[in-house]
Amino acid sequence: MTGWGAHLADQTASGLWDLSLAPQHINMLELEAVSLGLRAFLPLLGGSHVQVHTDNTTVAAYINRQGGTRSQKLSESACRLLVWCSSHNILLSAKYLKGTLNVLADALSRGDKVLHSEWTLSHQALDRLWVQVDKPCIDLFATRFSTRLPLFVSPFPDPLAWAVNALDLDWTNLQAYAFPPFCLLGKVVRKVDLEKPALVLVAPLWPSQHWYPDLLRLAVRPPIPLGVRRGDLLQPRSGVPHENPQALQLHGWILSESLCVVPGPRPQL
């Protein structure tokens, strides 16, 4: 409810809401964000078919159906937007994009708010890991701002990304690094078990979690403590550090025998 954000290729636009818009329903604000984004990028869009990706299903439907029957106000606003697009020779359509994949626009709209899916480790913290294992070249869960390796897989479409949505990729025989949001760790561990990539995973030492026994079973050596201190875990765009990174007990987990590692015993359940 603070502001709006949009991106097109490597261009971004954002702003705070006018106070007169603050009481509006969230659907109206989402549609207004689409309108402001299109206007911001107008010099790049004239004469084009533009597909807007939005994490609001209602707004996507009202754009694609050229209005709707549930909200007269929203329908009128959608029609005004489509008329504006037509006047600039823009053919507009919309596609729903899950909020978890809408990371950059979300960050732009929230200003200095902390995004829990956007923590990244400093290069200094990762150097403690790379001295013990070969550094891969692909960062599976990153944006152009948070990546720590030459290639990265973005959660949203990005022309700079090697691929989009890591969980949709086939990880078989892939050599990569992953520091996923903690809420995805269960899916990541299951995918490693099924597809057997050569993966360096950063995850907490949390024995009470349901995925922890499987993670221990997949590890080829004891987890490597990263000794993360304040300033080592931060938000990539704002540089805001995590308040208590030591409490997360972040470790590096080596999940393949094919990775070159310092010899050590296998972890025990």
Side-chain angles (χ1 to χ4, degrees):
M1 304 297 288
T2 303
W4 64 276
H7 64 94
L8 173 67
D10 59 350
Q11 305 291 314
T12 62
S14 61
L16 299 177
W17 292 122
D18 185 285
L19 291 179
S20 64
L21 291 174
Q24 296 278 12
H25 189 277
I26 186 61
N27 291 341
M28 289 294 296
L29 291 177
E30 291 279 359
L31 186 60
E32 181 66 14
V34 171
S35 177
L36 291 169
L38 290 169
R39 293 172 190 274
F41 299 130
L42 179 58
L44 303 173
L45 302 179
S48 303
H49 174 198
V50 177
Q51 184 181 73
V52 170
H53 291 189
T54 171
D55 58 14
N56 185 293
T57 55
T58 299
V59 167
Y62 270 66
I63 289 174
N64 290 331
R65 297 173 183 173
Q66 301 182 6
T69 58
R70 299 294 297 272
S71 169
Q72 180 179 349
K73 193 173 182 180
L74 188 63
S75 185
E76 290 173 351
S77 295
C79 289
R80 283 196 298 271
L81 174 60
L82 290 164
V83 168
W84 179 86
C85 287
S86 179
S87 70
H88 291 90
N89 199 24
I90 294 173
L91 178 63
L92 184 65
S93 64
K95 179 179 180 180
Y96 171 67
L97 182 71
K98 291 190 295 185
T100 53
L101 303 181
N102 201 19
V103 179
L104 180 53
D106 217 20
L108 291 166
S109 70
R110 293 170 187 257
D112 60 354
K113 298 289 183 66
V114 167
L115 296 178
H116 295 291
S117 62
E118 276 291 275
W119 293 111
T120 189
L121 285 167
S122 68
H123 289 289
Q124 291 83 353
L126 283 174
D127 284 343
R128 299 166 203 149
L129 183 59
W130 304 142
V131 297
Q132 301 194 53
V133 63
D134 280 347
K135 183 193 294 188
C137 63
I138 300 173
D139 193 336
L140 285 178
F141 295 88
T143 67
R144 65 175 67 187
F145 303 108
S146 66
T147 185
R148 291 296 181 250
L149 296 172
L151 302 176
F152 70 95
V153 179
S154 173
F156 53 82
D158 185 334
L160 297 183
W162 178 71
V164 176
N165 196 356
L167 292 176
D168 283 347
L169 299 179
D170 183 356
W171 292 3
T172 306
N173 298 321
L174 190 69
Q175 294 196 12
Y177 158 78
F179 181 25
F182 299 151
C183 62
L184 297 181
L185 278 169
K187 293 181 179 180
V188 169
V189 172
R190 285 195 298 273
K191 194 169 179 68
V192 170
D193 201 9
L194 287 171
E195 299 177 4
K196 303 297 188 291
L199 190 69
V200 181
L201 174 69
V202 170
L205 201 70
W206 287 348
S208 62
Q209 294 298 310
H210 66 91
W211 42 261
Y212 192 81
D214 288 329
L215 182 56
L216 276 177
R217 174 174 54 82
L218 292 168
V220 300
R221 58 156 293 171
I224 303 168
L226 298 181
V228 174
R229 301 181 290 267
R230 184 173 173 83
D232 283 336
L233 186 63
L234 47 97
Q235 295 274 293
R237 297 183 72 246
S238 65
V240 174
H242 194 284
E243 292 184 355
N244 188 14
Q246 296 93 331
L248 300 176
Q249 302 183 64
L250 292 178
H251 285 62
W253 298 79
I254 313 305
L255 305 184
S256 172
E257 295 281 7
S258 66
L259 291 164
C260 181
V261 299
V262 176
R266 289 185 61 88
Q268 300 297 315
L269 284 169

